[in-house]
Amino acid sequence: MARCLRLLFVSTPVGPLGSGLGGGVELTVVNLVAALTQRGHQITIAAPENSQLEGIQLIQIPGIHQPTAHTQGRDTPATVLENAVLSNQWAYARQVQHDYDLIVNFAYDWLPFYLTQFFDTPIAHFVSMGSLSRIMDHAVVQIDAKFPGTLGAYTQTQVDTFPPGLTWQLLSSAVDLSQYDYCDTPEPRLAWLGRISPEKGLEDAVAAAQQTQTPLKILGKLENQEYWDAIQRTYPNAPIDYLGFVNTQQLQTIVRCCQGLLMTPRWVEAFGNVAIEALACGVPVVAYRRGGPTEIIDHGKTGWLVEPDYVAGLVDSIRKLDRIDRAHCRQQAELKYSLPALGERFEQWFEAIIKAN
Ligand code: HBI
């Protein structure tokens, strides 16, 4: 058993923990805290004020939220705001760094990568998305050159979007399986989970729901209102139901009774936590063969992988969902995506960074 580590997590600056604005990385932070606390490590999180996470030391940092990187172009320069929560988070981290064995950065932003060279305490950078901008590509290349082994990511397919030849630790992801109840008797309906934003491709899931007339339950943060309005105008006869952004308990209550989950990413989804949330309930996944889901879904066993952006492929797969063994879906989640497995992977990565420092 490794010694107890004192860890400072610096959360994403796009919004408070628990708001849903942080998307997949919020779930990763919550699950990682649970997994590492179970292994005896001490974690403190420096997060934007109004963050909520029970049972953990939360340092609420004031300041302006960072504009989200996933809606900006490849040539967008780094954004430095007056009184940015990002700058305040890292001023705090620098102040308290000697109280910790390791600092873990969860921001997909240039500043923490640049500041790493001025810190004494080692910093692990968990990169939560694929390549989106030249400035962040440059940031990861610089960190790889100066601090090899301190870059972490979810999947190989995500890493492949960055410049080649870098050293990455692949951490995959996990869910707290005890929060997901297996369901063997689904209702004739589908689910779609995620931030309602163009890169998530919701319109294709709605088109498939309209073509098959299968009710589609939609859950997630409504990030882009005009995008959502356009979908509703384009597909007036789709049997869709938007249920808002809900907590894990409510999410799994809705998803577990569905025949399948649809994943329609337009971008290279770094992982796709929603896929393992569905599998944990025994729900098979129909996903575009793009990004993280291609490494999560076992075609024909835990769901169906579809030619990207091909709605007819979604429709065909929806009609084949009953061929998937739901118990096998749950079993795969238990095998590959449990919290203990996640905790072990991150602990090994952290130990290696501390040792190399
Ligand atoms: N944008 N600038 C910025 N910084 C982040 O940390 C960030 C983001 N956009 C989305 C995001 N993080 C997370 O939702 C990812 O998990 C997708």
Side-chain angles (χ1 to χ4, degrees):
M1 160 68 171
R3 63 193 163 98
C4 157
L5 297 177
R6 298 165 303 159
L7 303 166
L8 176 65
F9 284 9
V10 186
S11 178
T12 171
V14 295
L17 274 180
S19 69
L21 285 169
V25 84
E26 267 192 58
L27 194 63
T28 297
V29 167
V30 168
N31 285 327
L32 194 48
V33 163
L36 292 171
T37 308
Q38 268 166 13
R39 298 173 77 91
H41 302 299
Q42 281 165 15
I43 299 169
T44 303
I45 309 183
E49 63 192 351
N50 302 322
S51 285
Q52 282 152 10
L53 189 58
E54 63 277 352
I56 191 73
Q57 167 118 32
L58 260 180
I59 309 292
Q60 307 277 354
I61 307 285
I64 310 293
H65 296 158
Q66 196 70 11
T68 183
H70 66 259
T71 56
Q72 291 168 13
R74 284 206 66 77
D75 296 322
T76 307
T79 308
V80 180
L81 303 165
E82 194 183 323
N83 186 32
V85 65
L86 180 63
S87 319
N88 298 338
Q89 283 174 292
W90 286 92
Y92 174 80
R94 185 173 170 280
Q95 215 182 326
V96 299
Q97 63 175 309
H98 297 112
D99 298 342
Y100 297 95
D101 301 304
L102 179 75
I103 298 169
V104 189
N105 169 45
F106 288 93
Y108 191 96
D109 293 278
W110 171 80
L111 185 67
F113 287 78
Y114 176 68
L115 293 178
T116 299
Q117 59 195 308
F118 308 119
F119 274 68
D120 303 324
T121 301
I123 300 176
H125 292 279
F126 184 75
V127 178
S128 65
M129 295 182 279
S131 166
L132 288 175
S133 64
R134 287 151 50 97
I135 189 87
M136 282 306 291
D137 285 5
H138 180 69
V140 298
V141 168
Q142 289 301 308
I143 283 290
D144 184 70
K146 295 191 180 101
F147 306 97
T150 63
L151 290 173
Y154 288 117
T155 60
Q156 186 61 50
T157 183
Q158 171 198 359
V159 157
D160 291 346
T161 64
F162 287 101
L166 309 183
T167 306
W168 291 88
Q169 189 76 20
L170 299 184
L171 284 314
S172 186
S173 186
V175 288
D176 177 356
L177 292 161
S178 68
Q179 292 192 26
Y180 299 82
D181 301 324
Y182 173 67
C183 165
D184 207 24
T185 52
E187 323 256 323
R189 65 184 190 204
L190 300 164
W192 186 94
L193 310 175
R195 285 175 294 109
I196 298 188
S197 181
E199 77 279 1
K200 297 285 187 177
L202 174 56
E203 63 275 21
D204 287 6
V206 172
Q210 179 162 290
Q211 282 184 40
T212 58
Q213 280 303 299
T214 312
L216 177 68
K217 301 294 178 190
I218 300 168
L219 291 147
K221 188 86 185 165
L222 178 42
E223 205 172 81
N224 186 320
Q225 186 64 48
E226 50 274 15
Y227 170 63
W228 175 230
D229 294 343
I231 290 175
Q232 295 175 88
R233 276 196 310 275
T234 312
Y235 301 100
N237 307 319
I240 58 177
D241 199 4
Y242 174 52
L243 301 174
F245 173 69
V246 298
N247 66 29
T248 298
Q249 183 46 39
Q250 294 157 314
L251 179 144
Q252 73 93 28
T253 306
I254 294 159
V255 169
R256 61 190 293 274
C257 320
C258 292
Q259 283 169 316
L261 172 76
L262 301 186
M263 291 187 77
T264 51
R266 285 272 186 268
W267 67 344
V268 173
E269 191 74 43
F271 185 77
N273 282 304
V274 296
I276 58 178
E277 293 188 283
L279 296 179
C281 298
V283 178
V285 179
V286 173
Y288 283 154
R289 194 185 294 276
R290 179 184 276 149
T294 58
E295 295 183 34
I296 300 168
I297 302 310
D298 185 355
H299 186 66
K301 291 270 185 22
T302 54
W304 301 103
L305 291 170
V306 170
E307 181 65 29
D309 312 321
Y310 183 45
V311 173
L314 295 176
V315 171
D316 287 348
S317 301
I318 289 166
R319 294 191 169 128
K320 296 189 300 189
L321 276 168
D322 54 0
R323 289 196 214 160
I324 302 292
D325 174 1
R326 292 173 72 95
H328 181 69
C329 293
R330 168 71 193 198
Q331 185 215 35
Q332 287 303 298
E334 288 169 358
L335 210 58
K336 295 188 197 163
Y337 303 112
S338 72
L339 284 190
L342 182 81
E344 174 135 10
R345 291 194 293 269
F346 271 88
E347 183 182 281
Q348 282 169 4
W349 180 36
F350 292 167
E351 286 287 3
I353 295 173
I354 293 168
K355 211 162 91 208
N357 185 45

